[in-house]
Amino acid sequence: MELLSYVLTAFVFVVSIAYLYMRSRHNFWRDRGVPYARGKPHLLMGHMEEFNTKHASYINQKIYRDLKSRGEAYGGMSFFLLPGLIVVDPELVKTILVKDFNVFHDRGVFNDAKSDPLSAHLFALEGQEWRVLRQKLTPTFTSGRMKQMFGTIQQVAEEFLKYMNENCHREMEMKDVLARFTTDVIGTCAFGIECNSLKNPDSEFRKYGNKVFEQDTVVMIKFIFASMFKGLAKKIGVKLTDEGVERFFLQMVRDTVQYRELNNVQRNDFMNLLLQIKNKGYLEERDGGASDAVKNETRITLNELAAQVFVFFLAGFETSSTTMNFCLYELAKNADIQERLREEIELAIEDNDGQVTYEMVMNNQYLDNVVNETLRKYPPLESLTRVPVRDYTIPGTKHVIPKDTVIQIPVYALQHDPEFYPDPDQFNPDRFLPEEVKQRHPYVFLPFGEGPRVCIGLRFGMMQAKLGLITLLRNFRFSPSSQTPAEFTFDPKSFILSPTSGNYLKVDKI
């Protein structure tokens, strides 16, 4: 009996300590006098209690609106057991992303090149490692390089048009079709491989690409643990990348690199540029000299190359396909906008001697407005994250953000704020007329981020999305079907903004 009493006492003691610890985590901001989100946080989930049933965009928008209604420029919240800060004021957004970038250059995303090689990519790397790699990769995404890749993407777009002509019927589910198109684009530009996702929807590229964006409870627990205890997570080798995904992409890269180097294969694609950096430490220009980037002997390893190809593939196929999907959905519901866009495209092509060129695609003002309005209403990443590398006092206040605290810039909430975008649920491309843009704070439109850590591949993403839309709109008219949802809800299991349902539209050949 005495032993049982000791065990019970010890159990109650441990549970009490755990409870007090968790509760203290949720009182983090209140104890420091910092404004914080209303509502009692869940003991384990904090303010993310609904993350299994609601997408993070809805959760963060609710907190954003609460803080803004009280006139706060920022506020604390509990991201599970992690104290986080949500920024409301666009000026503070600018300060974090640009003015004080030297403090906020890291995203706080866990990566471990040793145990989880595919995690050590440009999106996740920190500090000096990020700076060196960013400097090396920046020349691969210039407009000149994109122009070189344009012909390759055009070939995939032609195959896409063939597929649509052969398979188009009165009603099509466009979400999956568009994802297969962008998978084929990224597959050929990143790996130089014909994925044939349009002909084979069950291709391994699609299978493993989709798997990365699926989050389950185990992945989330590992993510929270790695975020809270980075040093320990690296010591014990926590891996966030799925084993099957890692095996597939590492083998694919090894095989491709070996084949190209043995056979001296040269292509206008991303892999070719990365191989130059791997073997020489810099990019060559057409005259054989080094690029404008600093020429040095620091090369990237095969695993580092694989990680960059991996994130380029993921960022390129999913975000571009969802943007095109949301755009077609809105154009189907707004026939007048669709017709005007089609006319603008045809006029631009006519003025360009009947040719669809890189310059024509990227410089069509109304197409740009339509795509930007799509990205405004449906930003691929609902939030940007930053962590300070030291304790940081918020300008004009005495509030201190401790080192390594996750700061969220709620892109979705900012881009749906009626103060900046009246009637935010309406799809209106004229919001992006030059005179309208000038009247808005520049840091309330952040689909690609901003500042030195702005998305490096935004030019490529826009190029493939715009070319895909031009290909479709010149040849087909889209309208709602009986299965078209009145509005989309976002999948809580997806890290990016992705609809839970398919996008069924009527498709008529022109």
Side-chain angles (χ1 to χ4, degrees):
M1 271 313 271
E2 196 172 338
L3 177 62
L4 180 60
S5 177
Y6 283 137
V7 170
L8 286 173
T9 302
F11 176 74
V12 170
F13 177 75
V14 170
V15 169
S16 299
I17 292 296
Y19 174 83
L20 290 172
Y21 170 76
M22 288 187 280
R23 189 48 63 199
S24 72
R25 298 294 286 177
H26 298 315
N27 291 335
F28 183 89
W29 296 113
R30 187 179 67 181
D31 293 345
R32 287 161 174 77
V34 176
Y36 57 96
R38 286 177 184 159
K40 188 176 180 180
H42 185 275
L43 193 60
L44 289 172
M45 317 285 274
H47 289 99
M48 304 301 291
E49 184 176 359
E50 298 177 293
F51 98 101
N52 270 324
T53 56
K54 285 188 176 180
H55 194 272
S57 56
Y58 301 125
I59 297 170
N60 287 329
Q61 185 181 40
K62 181 180 176 182
I63 297 171
Y64 171 92
R65 286 175 172 173
D66 165 43
L67 292 168
K68 183 156 185 175
S69 70
R70 292 186 272 146
E72 305 292 358
Y74 52 87
M77 50 89 73
S78 294
F79 183 76
F80 299 95
L81 290 175
L82 288 172
L85 196 82
I86 285 191
V87 182
V88 176
D89 177 29
E91 270 303 308
L92 184 54
V93 171
K94 181 180 180 180
T95 298
I96 290 169
L97 295 181
V98 180
K99 289 182 180 177
D100 288 335
F101 179 77
N102 62 313
V103 180
F104 297 99
H105 50 67
D106 296 340
R107 289 195 170 103
V109 178
F110 178 77
N111 65 90
D112 183 2
K114 186 177 178 183
S115 300
D116 193 357
L118 292 184
S119 71
H121 47 67
L122 192 66
F123 185 86
L125 286 177
E126 299 179 336
Q128 188 60 20
E129 286 183 308
W130 169 78
R131 283 191 175 89
V132 170
L133 189 60
R134 176 85 183 205
Q135 184 184 40
K136 286 188 173 296
L137 294 182
T138 294
T140 67
F141 289 97
T142 61
S143 57
R145 303 282 183 190
M146 293 303 99
K147 198 183 294 187
Q148 288 174 28
M149 290 188 196
F150 185 75
T152 303
I153 300 175
Q154 261 187 319
Q155 291 172 12
V156 181
E158 287 167 10
E159 290 301 314
F160 183 33
L161 179 57
K162 283 182 191 175
Y163 172 86
M164 287 295 294
N165 279 323
E166 291 168 4
N167 294 276
C168 132
H169 39 78
R170 289 291 296 164
E171 185 174 278
M172 289 186 76
E173 199 290 286
M174 294 305 300
K175 177 185 172 186
D176 182 61
V177 172
L178 291 166
R180 284 151 61 189
F181 163 64
T182 56
T183 297
D184 286 355
V185 170
I186 301 295
T188 191
C189 287
F191 296 91
I193 290 172
E194 290 185 16
C195 304
N196 289 323
S197 295
L198 285 165
K199 296 175 184 175
N200 176 20
D202 300 319
S203 71
E204 288 192 305
F205 271 94
R206 289 282 293 127
K207 173 186 169 184
Y208 288 111
N210 287 332
K211 200 167 182 62
V212 178
F213 291 95
E214 296 170 359
Q215 58 180 6
D216 55 32
T217 305
V218 174
V219 172
M220 187 53 68
I221 290 171
K222 287 162 80 173
F223 172 77
I224 295 166
F225 177 81
S227 300
M228 291 180 70
F229 309 106
K230 280 188 180 180
L232 179 58
K234 287 191 177 184
K235 280 184 181 178
I236 63 176
V238 170
K239 183 191 286 284
L240 298 181
T241 308
D242 177 83
E243 291 278 1
V245 169
E246 181 182 288
R247 252 191 327 270
F248 173 74
F249 280 100
L250 283 178
Q251 191 59 52
M252 184 66 67
V253 169
R254 288 192 192 106
D255 290 347
T256 304
V257 167
Q258 184 179 38
Y259 177 79
R260 290 201 182 192
E261 290 184 342
L262 284 175
N263 296 280
N264 194 28
V265 175
Q266 300 293 319
R267 281 175 54 103
N268 287 324
D269 60 16
F270 187 59
M271 177 66 79
N272 196 63
L273 301 175
L274 285 176
L275 280 172
Q276 288 183 39
I277 299 173
K278 170 184 170 288
N279 296 326
K280 299 179 181 180
Y282 61 90
L283 287 180
E284 281 188 350
E285 295 298 349
R286 289 184 175 181
D287 60 6
S291 70
D292 291 337
V294 176
K295 180 178 176 179
N296 58 58
E297 296 306 313
T298 307
R299 305 175 185 185
I300 59 174
T301 66
L302 185 62
N303 275 0
E304 287 172 332
L305 183 151
Q308 310 326 309
V309 172
F310 175 66
V311 76
F312 178 61
F313 175 78
L314 297 180
F317 101 81
E318 185 70 11
T319 58
S320 291
S321 71
T322 53
T323 298
M324 291 170 66
N325 183 51
F326 286 129
C327 188
L328 282 185
Y329 169 76
E330 290 291 349
L331 292 175
K333 289 172 57 178
N334 297 275
D336 54 334
I337 296 174
Q338 183 182 160
E339 288 305 319
R340 179 180 168 189
L341 177 56
R342 187 175 288 110
E343 289 171 10
E344 295 278 355
I345 289 169
E346 292 298 349
L347 279 172
I349 294 172
E350 187 179 323
D351 290 343
N352 199 44
D353 298 324
Q355 300 297 310
V356 177
T357 60
Y358 174 79
E359 289 80 5
M360 178 256 130
V361 169
M362 299 301 281
N363 296 326
N364 186 298
Q365 183 63 59
Y366 195 64
L367 175 60
D368 202 50
N369 294 355
V370 169
V371 173
N372 281 338
E373 175 66 348
T374 304
L375 290 166
R376 193 251 344 145
K377 196 172 176 185
Y378 308 99
L381 288 179
E382 64 86 20
S383 286
L384 306 174
T385 60
R386 294 291 187 272
V387 295
V389 295
R390 57 172 170 78
D391 290 357
Y392 176 83
T393 302
I394 297 174
T397 77
K398 294 181 180 179
H399 295 150
V400 176
I401 306 173
K403 176 186 176 184
D404 293 332
T405 301
V406 175
I407 296 170
Q408 291 199 77
I409 296 166
V411 176
Y412 182 87
L414 282 164
Q415 293 181 181
H416 284 77
D417 188 332
E419 179 187 344
F420 310 123
Y421 300 97
D423 197 4
D425 292 330
Q426 180 190 359
F427 187 79
N428 178 14
D430 287 345
R431 297 183 203 273
F432 289 91
L433 291 169
E435 57 270 25
E436 292 292 324
V437 173
K438 284 179 185 176
Q439 293 177 24
R440 274 195 304 272
H441 195 289
Y443 285 78
V444 296
F445 181 65
L446 301 164
F448 297 106
E450 196 49 82
R453 202 140 190 175
V454 67
C455 173
I456 194 172
L458 72 88
R459 193 179 274 115
F460 181 91
M462 292 290 271
M463 174 173 65
Q464 70 163 334
K466 287 179 175 181
L467 183 57
L469 288 169
I470 287 171
T471 302
L472 290 172
L473 292 170
R474 293 191 74 199
N475 295 280
F476 306 96
R477 184 172 284 105
F478 297 88
S479 56
S481 77
S482 58
Q483 296 188 72
T484 306
E487 62 180 48
F488 281 128
T489 53
F490 307 127
D491 185 358
K493 293 181 179 179
S494 174
F495 283 109
I496 66 163
L497 214 66
S498 181
T500 52
S501 61
N503 182 21
Y504 290 89
L505 299 175
K506 286 182 182 177
V507 183
D508 294 301
K509 286 186 181 183
I510 294 176

